Amino acid sequence: MALASSTPYLPRMAYFPRPAKPKALLADLKGMLAANRRHKLVFGAMAIGMTSLIITGFILEARNGVMPGASTIYAADWSENRTDAEIVKQQKIDQKEVNAAKAERRRQFQKVDDAMTRWGF
């Protein structure tokens, strides 16, 4: 059916070009290398090099892994029958610790900001 007709019987397949023969590909490569266009060779080598670098990076990442190791998570053990007042009291203590950590972090960022302001940033 496909051999009898010169037009494609699947219209969507008409968008894809026919595959080139290896002999034609080698002739094109020979013609490109025969011309003295060094910039094409330089950019071609850079394209191959960058692609190789990216693929090598993926291979090394897959081989070594970047997942973090096991970590221990500690949970507080509270009694079942504690009162709401005890809960609120503990929350206030915890909130003071959180506020102190935020203030320290803010102080560190302010120190960096002051240094950058001195340098003109």
Side-chain angles (χ1 to χ4, degrees):
M1 184 167 139
L3 298 175
S5 170
S6 63
T7 61
Y9 63 94
L10 295 175
R12 290 186 178 217
M13 294 300 287
Y15 293 117
F16 298 114
R18 293 192 181 272
K21 295 180 181 180
K23 191 174 185 179
L25 292 173
L26 289 174
D28 284 345
L29 183 62
K30 184 179 175 183
M32 186 192 78
L33 293 175
N36 284 335
R37 296 193 176 145
R38 298 187 104 184
H39 68 280
K40 286 186 178 183
L41 293 176
V42 170
F43 285 115
M46 286 177 23
I48 291 171
M50 290 300 294
T51 304
S52 301
L53 183 71
I54 291 171
I55 290 173
T56 303
F58 278 118
I59 290 171
L60 291 177
E61 180 184 0
R63 185 179 301 160
N64 297 332
V66 292
M67 295 296 292
S71 63
T72 304
I73 299 174
Y74 296 98
D77 188 21
W78 302 104
S79 66
E80 207 175 286
N81 54 359
R82 64 186 181 138
T83 63
D84 288 342
E86 291 174 342
I87 294 172
V88 170
K89 181 180 173 186
Q90 186 60 43
Q91 286 177 343
K92 287 181 182 178
I93 293 170
D94 293 342
Q95 189 61 42
K96 285 180 185 177
E97 292 174 5
V98 168
N99 289 343
K102 284 182 180 179
E104 175 62 22
R105 188 75 170 154
R106 194 176 307 117
R107 186 192 64 75
Q108 291 173 353
F109 275 116
Q110 187 63 44
K111 184 178 174 183
V112 171
D113 184 47
D114 292 342
M116 291 183 75
T117 302
R118 280 195 314 266
W119 294 335
F121 291 109

Coordinates of all heavy atoms in Angstrom, one line a residue, residues 10-87:
L10 N -0.2 8.4 5.4 CA -0.4 9.0 6.7 C 0.0 10.4 6.6 O 1.2 10.7 6.6 CB 0.4 8.2 7.8 CG 0.0 6.8 8.1 CD1 0.9 6.2 9.1 CD2 -1.4 6.7 8.6
P11 N -0.9 11.4 6.5 CA -0.6 12.8 6.3 C 0.3 13.3 7.4 O 1.1 14.2 7.1 CB -1.9 13.5 6.2 CG -3.0 12.5 6.3 CD -2.4 11.2 6.6
R12 N 0.1 12.9 8.6 CA 0.9 13.5 9.7 C 2.4 13.1 9.6 O 3.3 13.8 10.0 CB 0.4 13.0 11.0 CG -0.9 13.7 11.3 CD -1.4 13.4 12.7 NE -2.6 14.1 13.0 CZ -2.9 14.6 14.1 NH1 -2.2 14.5 15.1 NH2 -4.1 15.2 14.2
M13 N 2.7 11.9 9.0 CA 4.0 11.5 8.9 C 4.8 12.2 7.8 O 6.0 12.1 7.7 CB 4.1 10.0 8.5 CG 3.6 9.1 9.7 SD 4.5 9.3 11.2 CE 6.0 8.4 10.7
A14 N 4.1 13.0 7.0 CA 4.7 13.7 5.9 C 5.6 14.9 6.4 O 6.4 15.4 5.7 CB 3.6 14.3 4.9
Y15 N 5.4 15.3 7.7 CA 6.2 16.4 8.2 C 7.6 16.0 8.5 O 8.5 16.8 8.6 CB 5.5 16.9 9.5 CG 4.2 17.6 9.3 CD1 3.0 17.0 9.8 CD2 4.1 18.7 8.5 CE1 1.8 17.6 9.6 CE2 2.9 19.3 8.2 CZ 1.8 18.8 8.8 OH 0.6 19.4 8.6
F16 N 7.8 14.7 8.8 CA 9.2 14.2 9.1 C 9.9 13.9 7.8 O 9.5 13.3 6.9 CB 9.1 13.0 10.0 CG 8.4 13.2 11.3 CD1 7.2 12.6 11.6 CD2 9.0 14.0 12.2 CE1 6.5 12.8 12.8 CE2 8.3 14.2 13.5 CZ 7.1 13.6 13.7
P17 N 11.2 14.4 7.8 CA 12.0 14.1 6.6 C 12.4 12.7 6.5 O 12.5 12.0 7.6 CB 13.2 15.0 6.7 CG 13.3 15.3 8.2 CD 11.9 15.2 8.7
R18 N 12.7 12.2 5.4 CA 13.2 10.8 5.2 C 14.6 10.8 5.9 O 15.4 11.7 5.7 CB 13.3 10.4 3.8 CG 11.9 10.3 3.1 CD 12.0 9.7 1.8 NE 10.7 9.6 1.1 CZ 9.9 8.6 1.3 NH1 10.2 7.6 2.1 NH2 8.7 8.6 0.7
P19 N 14.9 9.7 6.5 CA 16.3 9.5 7.1 C 17.4 9.5 6.1 O 17.2 9.0 5.0 CB 16.2 8.2 7.8 CG 14.8 7.7 7.7 CD 14.1 8.5 6.8
A20 N 18.5 10.2 6.4 CA 19.6 10.3 5.5 C 20.4 9.0 5.6 O 20.5 8.4 6.6 CB 20.4 11.5 5.8
K21 N 21.0 8.6 4.5 CA 21.9 7.5 4.5 C 23.3 7.9 5.1 O 23.7 9.0 5.0 CB 22.1 7.0 3.1 CG 20.8 6.5 2.4 CD 21.0 6.0 1.0 CE 19.7 5.5 0.5 NZ 19.8 5.0 -0.9
P22 N 23.9 6.9 5.7 CA 25.2 7.2 6.3 C 26.2 7.8 5.3 O 27.0 8.6 5.7 CB 25.7 5.9 6.9 CG 24.5 5.1 7.1 CD 23.5 5.5 6.0
K23 N 26.2 7.4 4.1 CA 27.1 7.9 3.0 C 26.9 9.4 2.8 O 27.8 10.1 2.7 CB 26.8 7.1 1.7 CG 27.9 7.3 0.7 CD 27.6 6.4 -0.5 CE 28.7 6.5 -1.5 NZ 28.5 5.6 -2.6
A24 N 25.6 9.8 2.8 CA 25.3 11.2 2.6 C 25.7 12.0 3.9 O 26.2 13.1 3.7 CB 23.8 11.4 2.4
L25 N 25.6 11.4 5.1 CA 26.0 12.1 6.3 C 27.5 12.3 6.3 O 28.0 13.4 6.6 CB 25.5 11.4 7.5 CG 24.0 11.3 7.7 CD1 23.7 10.4 8.9 CD2 23.5 12.7 8.0
L26 N 28.2 11.3 5.9 CA 29.7 11.4 5.9 C 30.1 12.4 4.8 O 31.1 13.1 5.0 CB 30.3 10.0 5.6 CG 30.2 9.0 6.8 CD1 30.7 7.7 6.4 CD2 30.9 9.5 8.0
A27 N 29.4 12.5 3.7 CA 29.8 13.4 2.7 C 29.6 14.9 3.2 O 30.4 15.8 2.9 CB 29.0 13.2 1.4
D28 N 28.5 15.1 3.9 CA 28.2 16.4 4.5 C 29.3 16.8 5.5 O 29.8 17.9 5.5 CB 26.8 16.5 5.1 CG 25.7 16.6 4.1 OD1 26.0 16.9 3.0 OD2 24.5 16.3 4.5
L29 N 29.7 15.8 6.3 CA 30.7 16.1 7.3 C 32.0 16.4 6.7 O 32.7 17.3 7.1 CB 30.8 14.9 8.3 CG 31.8 15.0 9.4 CD1 31.4 16.1 10.4 CD2 31.9 13.7 10.2
K30 N 32.3 15.7 5.6 CA 33.6 15.9 4.9 C 33.6 17.3 4.3 O 34.6 18.0 4.3 CB 33.8 14.8 3.8 CG 35.1 14.9 3.1 CD 35.2 13.8 2.1 CE 36.4 13.9 1.2 NZ 36.5 12.9 0.2
G31 N 32.4 17.7 3.7 CA 32.3 19.0 3.1 C 32.5 20.1 4.1 O 33.1 21.1 3.8
M32 N 31.9 19.9 5.3 CA 32.0 20.9 6.3 C 33.5 21.0 6.8 O 34.0 22.1 7.0 CB 31.1 20.6 7.5 CG 31.1 21.7 8.5 SD 30.3 21.2 10.0 CE 31.6 20.3 10.8
L33 N 34.1 19.9 7.0 CA 35.5 20.0 7.5 C 36.5 20.4 6.4 O 37.5 21.0 6.7 CB 35.9 18.6 8.0 CG 35.2 18.1 9.2 CD1 35.6 16.7 9.5 CD2 35.5 19.0 10.4
A34 N 36.1 20.3 5.1 CA 37.0 20.7 4.0 C 37.0 22.2 3.9 O 38.1 22.8 3.6 CB 36.6 20.1 2.7
A35 N 35.9 22.9 4.3 CA 35.9 24.3 4.2 C 36.7 24.9 5.4 O 36.7 24.3 6.5 CB 34.5 24.8 4.3
N36 N 37.4 26.0 5.1 CA 38.2 26.6 6.2 C 37.3 27.5 7.0 O 37.4 28.8 6.9 CB 39.4 27.3 5.6 CG 40.5 26.4 5.2 OD1 40.6 25.3 5.7 ND2 41.3 26.8 4.2
R37 N 36.5 27.0 7.8 CA 35.7 27.8 8.7 C 36.0 27.3 10.2 O 35.3 26.4 10.7 CB 34.2 27.6 8.4 CG 33.9 28.2 7.0 CD 32.5 28.3 6.8 NE 32.2 28.9 5.5 CZ 31.2 28.6 4.8 NH1 30.4 27.7 5.1 NH2 31.0 29.2 3.6
R38 N 37.0 27.8 10.7 CA 37.5 27.4 12.0 C 36.4 27.7 13.1 O 36.3 26.9 14.1 CB 38.8 28.1 12.4 CG 39.9 27.7 11.4 CD 41.2 28.3 11.9 NE 41.9 27.1 12.4 CZ 43.1 27.2 13.0 NH1 43.6 28.4 13.2 NH2 43.7 26.1 13.4
H39 N 35.7 28.8 12.9 CA 34.7 29.1 14.0 C 33.6 28.0 14.1 O 33.2 27.8 15.2 CB 34.1 30.5 13.7 CG 33.2 30.5 12.5 ND1 33.7 30.6 11.2 CD2 31.8 30.4 12.4 CE1 32.6 30.6 10.4 NE2 31.5 30.5 11.1
K40 N 33.3 27.3 13.0 CA 32.3 26.3 13.2 C 32.9 25.1 14.0 O 32.2 24.5 14.8 CB 31.9 25.8 11.8 CG 31.0 26.7 11.0 CD 30.5 26.1 9.8 CE 29.5 27.0 9.1 NZ 29.0 26.4 7.8
L41 N 34.2 24.8 13.8 CA 34.8 23.7 14.5 C 34.9 24.1 16.0 O 34.7 23.3 16.9 CB 36.2 23.4 13.9 CG 36.2 22.8 12.5 CD1 37.7 22.7 12.1 CD2 35.5 21.5 12.5
V42 N 35.3 25.4 16.3 CA 35.4 25.8 17.7 C 34.0 25.7 18.4 O 33.9 25.2 19.5 CB 36.0 27.2 17.7 CG1 35.9 27.8 19.1 CG2 37.4 27.2 17.2
F43 N 33.0 26.2 17.7 CA 31.7 26.2 18.4 C 31.1 24.8 18.5 O 30.4 24.4 19.4 CB 30.7 27.1 17.7 CG 31.0 28.6 18.0 CD1 31.4 29.5 17.0 CD2 30.8 29.1 19.3 CE1 31.6 30.8 17.3 CE2 31.1 30.4 19.5 CZ 31.5 31.3 18.5
G44 N 31.5 24.0 17.5 CA 31.0 22.6 17.5 C 31.7 21.8 18.7 O 31.1 21.1 19.4
A45 N 33.0 22.1 18.9 CA 33.7 21.5 20.0 C 33.2 22.0 21.3 O 33.1 21.2 22.3 CB 35.2 21.7 19.8
M46 N 32.9 23.2 21.4 CA 32.3 23.8 22.6 C 30.9 23.2 22.9 O 30.6 22.8 24.1 CB 32.2 25.3 22.6 CG 33.6 26.0 22.7 SD 33.6 27.8 22.5 CE 32.0 28.4 22.9
A47 N 30.1 23.0 21.9 CA 28.8 22.4 22.1 C 28.9 20.9 22.6 O 28.2 20.5 23.5 CB 28.0 22.4 20.8
I48 N 29.9 20.2 22.0 CA 30.1 18.8 22.4 C 30.6 18.8 23.8 O 30.2 18.0 24.7 CB 31.0 18.1 21.4 CG1 30.3 17.9 20.1 CG2 31.5 16.7 22.0 CD1 31.1 17.4 19.0
G49 N 31.5 19.7 24.1 CA 32.1 19.7 25.5 C 31.1 20.1 26.6 O 31.1 19.4 27.6
M50 N 30.3 21.1 26.3 CA 29.3 21.4 27.3 C 28.3 20.3 27.5 O 27.9 20.0 28.6 CB 28.6 22.7 26.9 CG 29.4 24.0 27.0 SD 30.0 24.3 28.6 CE 28.5 24.7 29.5
T51 N 27.9 19.7 26.4 CA 26.9 18.6 26.6 C 27.6 17.4 27.4 O 26.9 16.8 28.2 CB 26.5 18.1 25.2 OG1 26.0 19.2 24.4 CG2 25.5 17.0 25.3
S52 N 28.8 17.1 27.1 CA 29.5 16.1 27.8 C 29.6 16.4 29.3 O 29.5 15.6 30.2 CB 30.9 15.8 27.2 OG 30.8 15.5 25.9
L53 N 29.9 17.7 29.6 CA 30.1 18.1 31.0 C 28.7 18.0 31.7 O 28.7 17.5 32.9 CB 30.5 19.6 31.0 CG 30.8 20.2 32.4 CD1 32.0 19.6 33.0 CD2 30.9 21.7 32.3
I54 N 27.6 18.3 31.1 CA 26.3 18.2 31.8 C 26.0 16.8 32.0 O 25.5 16.4 33.1 CB 25.3 18.9 30.9 CG1 25.5 20.5 31.0 CG2 23.9 18.6 31.4 CD1 24.6 21.2 30.0
I55 N 26.2 15.9 31.0 CA 25.9 14.5 31.1 C 26.8 13.9 32.2 O 26.3 13.1 33.0 CB 26.0 13.8 29.8 CG1 24.9 14.2 28.9 CG2 26.0 12.3 30.0 CD1 25.0 13.7 27.4
T56 N 28.1 14.2 32.2 CA 29.0 13.7 33.3 C 28.5 14.2 34.7 O 28.6 13.4 35.6 CB 30.4 14.2 33.0 OG1 30.8 13.8 31.7 CG2 31.4 13.7 34.0
G57 N 28.0 15.4 34.8 CA 27.5 15.9 36.1 C 26.3 15.1 36.5 O 26.2 14.7 37.7
F58 N 25.4 14.7 35.6 CA 24.3 13.9 36.0 C 24.7 12.5 36.4 O 24.2 12.0 37.4 CB 23.3 13.8 34.9 CG 22.4 15.0 34.8 CD1 22.4 15.8 33.6 CD2 21.5 15.3 35.8 CE1 21.5 16.9 33.5 CE2 20.6 16.4 35.7 CZ 20.6 17.2 34.6
I59 N 25.7 12.0 35.7 CA 26.2 10.6 36.1 C 26.8 10.6 37.4 O 26.6 9.7 38.3 CB 27.1 10.1 35.0 CG1 26.3 9.8 33.7 CG2 27.9 8.9 35.4 CD1 27.2 9.5 32.5
L60 N 27.7 11.6 37.7 CA 28.3 11.7 39.0 C 27.4 11.9 40.1 O 27.5 11.4 41.2 CB 29.4 12.8 39.0 CG 30.6 12.5 38.1 CD1 31.6 13.7 38.1 CD2 31.3 11.2 38.5
E61 N 26.4 12.7 39.9 CA 25.4 13.0 40.9 C 24.6 11.7 41.2 O 24.3 11.4 42.4 CB 24.4 14.1 40.5 CG 23.3 14.4 41.5 CD 22.3 15.4 41.0 OE1 22.5 15.9 39.8 OE2 21.4 15.7 41.7
A62 N 24.2 11.0 40.2 CA 23.5 9.7 40.4 C 24.3 8.7 41.1 O 23.8 7.9 41.9 CB 23.0 9.2 39.1
R63 N 25.6 8.7 40.8 CA 26.5 7.7 41.5 C 26.8 8.0 42.9 O 26.7 7.1 43.8 CB 27.8 7.7 40.7 CG 28.7 6.6 41.2 CD 30.0 6.5 40.4 NE 29.8 6.3 39.0 CZ 30.6 6.6 38.1 NH1 31.8 7.1 38.3 NH2 30.3 6.3 36.8
N64 N 27.0 9.3 43.2 CA 27.4 9.7 44.6 C 26.2 10.0 45.5 O 26.2 9.8 46.7 CB 28.3 10.9 44.6 CG 29.7 10.5 43.9 OD1 30.1 9.4 43.9 ND2 30.3 11.5 43.3
G65 N 25.2 10.5 44.9 CA 24.0 10.8 45.6 C 24.1 12.1 46.4 O 25.2 12.5 46.9
V66 N 23.1 12.9 46.5 CA 23.1 14.1 47.2 C 22.0 14.1 48.3 O 21.7 15.2 48.9 CB 22.9 15.3 46.3 CG1 24.0 15.5 45.4 CG2 21.6 15.2 45.5
M67 N 21.4 13.0 48.6 CA 20.4 12.9 49.6 C 21.0 13.1 51.0 O 22.1 12.5 51.2 CB 19.6 11.6 49.5 CG 18.8 11.4 48.2 SD 17.5 12.6 48.0 CE 16.4 12.1 49.3
P68 N 20.4 13.8 51.9 CA 20.9 13.9 53.2 C 20.8 12.6 53.9 O 20.0 11.8 53.6 CB 20.0 15.0 53.9 CG 18.7 14.9 53.1 CD 19.1 14.6 51.7
G69 N 21.7 12.4 54.9 CA 21.7 11.2 55.7 C 20.6 11.2 56.6 O 19.7 12.0 56.7
A70 N 20.6 10.1 57.4 CA 19.5 9.9 58.4 C 19.6 11.0 59.5 O 20.7 11.4 59.9 CB 19.6 8.5 59.0
S71 N 18.5 11.4 60.0 CA 18.5 12.4 61.1 C 17.6 12.0 62.1 O 16.6 11.3 61.9 CB 18.1 13.8 60.5 OG 16.8 13.8 60.1
T72 N 17.9 12.4 63.4 CA 17.1 12.0 64.5 C 16.2 13.2 64.8 O 16.6 14.3 64.9 CB 18.0 11.7 65.7 OG1 18.9 10.7 65.3 CG2 17.1 11.2 66.9
I73 N 14.9 12.9 65.0 CA 13.9 13.9 65.4 C 13.4 13.6 66.8 O 13.0 12.5 67.1 CB 12.7 13.9 64.4 CG1 13.2 14.3 63.0 CG2 11.7 14.9 64.9 CD1 12.2 14.2 61.9
Y74 N 13.6 14.6 67.7 CA 13.2 14.4 69.1 C 11.8 15.0 69.3 O 11.5 16.1 68.8 CB 14.2 15.0 70.0 CG 15.5 14.4 70.0 CD1 16.6 15.0 69.2 CD2 15.8 13.2 70.6 CE1 17.8 14.4 69.1 CE2 17.0 12.6 70.6 CZ 18.0 13.2 69.8 OH 19.3 12.6 69.8
A75 N 10.9 14.3 70.0 CA 9.6 14.8 70.2 C 9.4 14.9 71.8 O 9.9 14.0 72.5 CB 8.5 13.9 69.6
A76 N 8.7 15.9 72.2 CA 8.5 16.0 73.6 C 7.5 15.0 74.1 O 6.5 14.7 73.4 CB 8.0 17.4 74.0
D77 N 7.7 14.5 75.3 CA 6.7 13.5 75.8 C 6.0 14.2 76.9 O 6.5 14.5 78.0 CB 7.5 12.3 76.4 CG 6.6 11.2 76.8 OD1 5.5 11.1 76.3 OD2 7.1 10.3 77.6
W78 N 4.7 14.4 76.7 CA 3.9 15.1 77.7 C 2.9 14.1 78.3 O 2.5 13.1 77.7 CB 3.0 16.2 77.0 CG 3.9 17.2 76.3 CD1 4.1 17.3 75.0 CD2 4.7 18.2 76.9 NE1 5.0 18.3 74.7 CE2 5.3 18.9 75.9 CE3 4.9 18.6 78.2 CZ2 6.2 20.0 76.1 CZ3 5.7 19.7 78.5 CH2 6.4 20.4 77.4
S79 N 2.6 14.5 79.6 CA 1.6 13.6 80.3 C 0.2 13.8 79.7 O -0.1 14.9 79.1 CB 1.6 13.9 81.8 OG 1.1 15.2 82.0
E80 N -0.6 12.8 79.8 CA -1.9 12.8 79.2 C -2.9 13.8 79.9 O -3.8 14.4 79.3 CB -2.4 11.4 79.3 CG -3.4 11.0 78.3 CD -3.7 9.5 78.5 OE1 -2.9 8.7 78.2 OE2 -4.8 9.2 79.0
N81 N -2.6 14.0 81.1 CA -3.6 14.8 81.9 C -3.1 16.2 82.3 O -3.5 16.7 83.4 CB -4.0 14.0 83.2 CG -2.8 13.6 84.0 OD1 -1.7 13.9 83.6 ND2 -3.0 12.9 85.1
R82 N -2.3 16.8 81.5 CA -1.9 18.2 81.9 C -3.0 19.2 81.6 O -3.8 19.0 80.7 CB -0.6 18.5 81.2 CG -0.6 18.6 79.7 CD 0.7 18.8 79.2 NE 0.6 18.9 77.7 CZ 1.3 19.8 77.0 NH1 2.1 20.6 77.5 NH2 1.1 19.8 75.7
T83 N -3.0 20.3 82.3 CA -4.0 21.3 82.2 C -3.7 22.3 81.1 O -2.6 22.3 80.6 CB -4.2 22.0 83.5 OG1 -3.0 22.7 83.8 CG2 -4.5 21.1 84.7
D84 N -4.7 23.0 80.8 CA -4.6 24.1 79.7 C -3.6 25.1 80.2 O -2.9 25.7 79.4 CB -5.9 24.7 79.4 CG -6.8 23.8 78.6 OD1 -6.3 22.8 78.0 OD2 -8.0 24.1 78.5
A85 N -3.6 25.4 81.5 CA -2.7 26.4 82.0 C -1.2 26.0 81.8 O -0.3 26.8 81.5 CB -2.9 26.7 83.5
E86 N -1.0 24.7 82.0 CA 0.4 24.2 81.8 C 0.8 24.2 80.3 O 1.9 24.6 80.0 CB 0.5 22.7 82.3 CG 0.4 22.5 83.8 CD 0.3 21.1 84.2 OE1 0.0 20.2 83.3 OE2 0.6 20.8 85.4
I87 N -0.2 24.0 79.5 CA 0.1 24.1 78.0 C 0.4 25.5 77.7 O 1.4 25.8 76.9 CB -1.1 23.5 77.2 CG1 -1.3 22.0 77.5 CG2 -0.9 23.8 75.8 CD1 -2.6 21.5 76.9

